[in-house]
């Protein structure tokens, strides 16, 4: 039976991590431990007891100030797997005890021309978990039912968490790269998103070449079935039909464009990217090479990817950290010490 919001005592508190003063995670302590009053879920909202929360590079950008905070002392985390502890009025899809997932996109207007055209990821009034509202670096989190995903009951929550952003954004990036069936794909950077997108591409018959500075990531790429794995600035062994830049390094844009075959497409997957050097038209863009960005995702991307991940049996590689060590997880992510995806789990 669903638990109404009124059944959650308003005086109880829960713990988490918030971004107090954004700055470099390597030299400061931008994350601080906080205690918050347990929220009562509003109409159409779920209160989740967090079982696991992925640590995304976007969380790192928010923590370090690459992305301007939308509200003071926000709790990051938008790859949330949890059990429904309470529901607000008008909730119909979930009941107490159900497993649900909360992702980056948490709200859109539903009425603008982008929403009406199925491009809700471009909604000017879109809202995001961990940026516009507290996220999952905590014991509890509130998620709008309309943007929540139903997740398998019998799987390890730590292996589900990265699917909710790394997986979904990697999937959208793959589609934005316009990879032809049986095509040649280059992946620049091989972290949480890339190691999942690679498996989708391989399942669809692509040849995958991985370019990353991390030796352990290159080893993982070969284990997963990549045809080659080299340094980020190496030339792949053959021209590429498509490429995805997952590393937030603008210097790699001309490198990836130059590796494309005629009419190839480069998709840039991150929400933040360092400055792109001046491009040479003949070397980087001529012969109808295409350069595309990726902005958030639609809910349909999420539904499509989660169904596909279950069908192909996607393998998720994770490094687990107790919630009490969220700052260490971000520091390891910043220093490229994470193989696969970092995930926070309850202490």
């Amino acid at each position: 039976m669903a638990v109404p919001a009124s059944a959650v005592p308003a005086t109880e508190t829960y713990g988490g991590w918030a971004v107090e003063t954004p700055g470099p995670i390597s030299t400061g302590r931008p994350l601080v431990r906080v205690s918050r009053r347990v929220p009562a879920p509003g109409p159409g909202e779920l209160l989740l007891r967090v079982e696991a929360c992925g640590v995304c590079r976007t969380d790192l950008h928010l923590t370090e100030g690459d992305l301007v905070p939308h509200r003071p002392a926000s709790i990051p985390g938008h790859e949330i797997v949890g059990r429904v502890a309470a529901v607000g009025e008008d909730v119909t899809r979930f009941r107490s005890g159900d497993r649900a997932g909360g992702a980056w996109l948490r709200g859109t207007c539903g009425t603008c021309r982008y929403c009406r055209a199925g491009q809700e990821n471009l909604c000017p009034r879109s809202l995001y978990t961990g940026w516009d509202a507290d996220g999952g670096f905590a014991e509890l989190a509130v998620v709008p039912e309309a943007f929540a995903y139903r997740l398998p009951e019998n799987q390890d929550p730590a292996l589900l968490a990265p699917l909710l952003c790394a997986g979904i954004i990697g999937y959208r990036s793959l589609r934005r790269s316009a990879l032809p069936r049986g095509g040649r794909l280059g992946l620049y950077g091989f972290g949480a998103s890339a190691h999942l997108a690679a498996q989708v591409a391989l399942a669809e018959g692509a040849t995958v070449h991985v370019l990353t500075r991390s030796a352990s990531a290159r080893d993982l790429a070969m284990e997963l079935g990549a045809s080659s794995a080299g340094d980020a600035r190496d030339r792949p062994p053959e021209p590429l039909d498509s490429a995805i830049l997952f590393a937030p390094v603008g210097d790699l844009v001309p490198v990836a464009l130059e590796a494309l075959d005629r009419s190839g497409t480069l998709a840039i997957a991150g929400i933040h990217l360092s400055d792109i050097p001046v491009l040479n038209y003949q070397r980087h863009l001529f012969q109808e090479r295409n350069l595309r960005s990726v902005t958030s995702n639609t809910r349909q991307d999420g539904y499509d990817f989660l169904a596909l991940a279950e069908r192909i049996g996607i393998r998720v590689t994770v490094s687990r950290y107790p919630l009490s060590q969220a700052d260490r997880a971000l520091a390891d992510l910043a220093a490229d010490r994470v193989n696969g995806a970092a995930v926070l789990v309850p202490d």
Side-chain angles (χ1 to χ4, degrees):
M1 178 179 293
V3 179
S6 58
V8 180
T11 57
E12 288 188 1
T13 61
Y14 70 100
W17 290 87
V19 181
E20 185 174 67
T21 305
I25 193 77
S26 59
T27 59
R29 296 295 297 269
L31 278 186
V32 296
R33 296 298 296 267
V34 294
S35 181
R36 297 274 170 88
R37 188 182 296 271
V38 173
E45 292 183 335
L46 312 174
L47 177 64
L48 301 185
R49 187 164 299 280
V50 178
E51 296 180 290
C53 184
V55 181
C56 179
R57 191 163 288 275
T58 300
D59 299 318
L60 180 62
H61 292 318
L62 285 166
T63 300
E64 296 197 311
D66 296 322
L67 299 180
V68 178
H70 283 181
R71 58 201 291 271
S74 278
I75 294 175
H78 55 271
E79 297 176 311
I80 307 168
V81 178
R83 294 285 180 180
V84 177
V87 300
E89 295 179 3
D90 303 323
V91 168
T92 59
R93 293 171 48 224
F94 292 91
R95 297 162 62 89
S96 176
D98 285 349
R99 176 173 278 169
W104 176 235
L105 185 68
R106 73 177 287 118
T108 57
C109 73
T111 59
C112 69
R113 68 188 185 96
Y114 301 105
C115 287
R116 295 197 308 271
Q119 296 176 296
E120 64 180 3
N121 60 306
L122 301 179
C123 174
R125 295 190 287 279
S126 53
L127 300 172
Y128 300 94
T129 306
W131 202 6
D132 296 292
D134 284 343
F137 283 22
E139 296 169 328
L140 297 171
V142 172
V143 173
E145 181 192 34
F147 289 81
Y149 296 95
R150 186 171 292 280
L151 298 174
E153 297 285 339
N154 60 348
Q155 292 188 24
D156 183 344
L159 299 182
L160 294 172
L163 302 180
L164 293 167
C165 180
I168 295 172
I169 291 297
Y171 174 80
R172 183 170 185 87
S173 301
L174 185 62
R175 297 298 179 243
R176 291 283 291 165
S177 76
L179 178 67
R181 183 161 293 279
R184 302 158 296 176
L185 174 68
L187 300 179
Y188 289 81
F190 202 72
S193 276
H195 93 283
L196 301 176
Q199 294 177 66
V200 175
L202 289 165
E204 294 176 345
T207 299
V208 175
H209 301 289
V210 170
L211 298 308
T212 179
R213 66 182 183 180
S214 168
S216 61
R218 292 195 293 268
D219 290 341
L220 176 60
M222 297 304 290
E223 286 177 26
L224 293 174
S227 292
S228 73
D231 186 77
R233 297 181 184 278
D234 288 349
R235 180 64 71 97
E238 60 182 336
L240 304 173
D241 297 302
S242 302
I244 306 172
L245 177 58
F246 287 104
V249 182
D251 287 350
L252 290 176
V253 170
V255 173
L257 284 170
E258 202 164 353
L260 293 176
D261 205 349
R262 299 176 181 220
S263 80
T265 299
L266 169 63
I268 300 175
I271 190 173
H272 170 78
L273 188 72
S274 61
D275 290 343
I276 301 172
V278 174
L279 298 177
N280 178 281
Y281 179 67
Q282 294 293 334
R283 286 174 55 196
H284 303 128
L285 292 172
F286 192 54
Q287 302 294 355
E288 299 192 353
R289 296 184 182 95
N290 304 286
L291 178 60
R292 290 179 164 184
S293 67
V294 178
T295 299
S296 186
N297 63 275
T298 66
R299 281 171 284 182
Q300 192 60 52
D301 291 328
Y303 301 141
D304 291 346
F305 169 72
L306 291 172
L308 178 60
E310 187 169 9
R311 186 166 70 249
I312 68 175
I314 206 162
R315 170 185 161 187
V316 185
T317 299
V318 300
S319 298
R320 301 170 195 253
Y321 296 80
L323 176 61
S324 60
Q325 296 182 22
D327 51 353
R328 183 168 71 88
L330 281 173
D332 286 352
L333 182 62
D336 284 336
R337 291 190 293 262
V338 175
N339 202 25
V343 178
L344 301 179
V345 294
D347 287 81

